[in-house]
Amino acid sequence: LGSFLPEITLKSNKEVDVEVALLAKEKGVVLFLVPKADTPGCTNQACGFRDIYAEFTSAEYDVYCISADPPAAQSKWQEKKSLPYSLLSDPERKLISALGANDKGKTKRSHFVFARAEE
């Protein structure tokens, strides 16, 4: 992908459309991908990002968790584990595939860091 995010629109866990290509417009962005919300391994990963979230925001980075789960499942998980960042739903695996993390219909646990887009 180089330094640009693809032109894809995903729903947030709050059912709001998010244009992925614009995420790194004003700040850097960390995207981490989980296979399934509210499972033990994914919860460990999500809580790890939760626990150092302030370090990302102080460095002017936004954090997003991406999975193929529906927004309702993501919202429930976010509340249950006090996750401070947005979760993005990618049921068609468009962004997951663009990032090379789609493995035969399953999401590879991974993370990506994008610097703020240069003008």
Side-chain angles (χ1 to χ4, degrees), residues 31-35 45 49 99-101 107-112:
L31 305 176
F32 73 94
L33 286 62
V34 298
Q45 183 182 8
F49 278 94
L99 293 170
T107 304
K108 294 181 197 175
R109 188 181 317 281
S110 47
H111 64 273
F112 302 87

Side-chain angles (χ1 to χ4, degrees), residues 84-107:
Y85 42 76
S86 293
L87 288 78
L88 301 179
S89 176
D90 188 9
E92 296 176 14
R93 300 181 182 277
K94 290 179 180 179
L95 181 58
I96 293 167
S97 294
L99 293 170
N102 187 27
D103 184 19
K104 300 175 187 167
K106 294 186 179 181
T107 304

Side-chain angles (χ1 to χ4, degrees), residues 1 5-6 17-18 26-27 31 33 43 47 50 52-53 59 63 69 71 75 79 92 98 110 117:
L1 293 176
L5 288 160
D17 285 343
V18 175
E26 295 180 15
K27 293 183 180 181
L31 305 176
L33 286 62
T43 296
C47 290
R50 175 198 65 199
I52 60 172
Y53 179 71
V63 177
D69 298 293
S75 274
E79 285 181 35
E92 296 176 14
S110 47

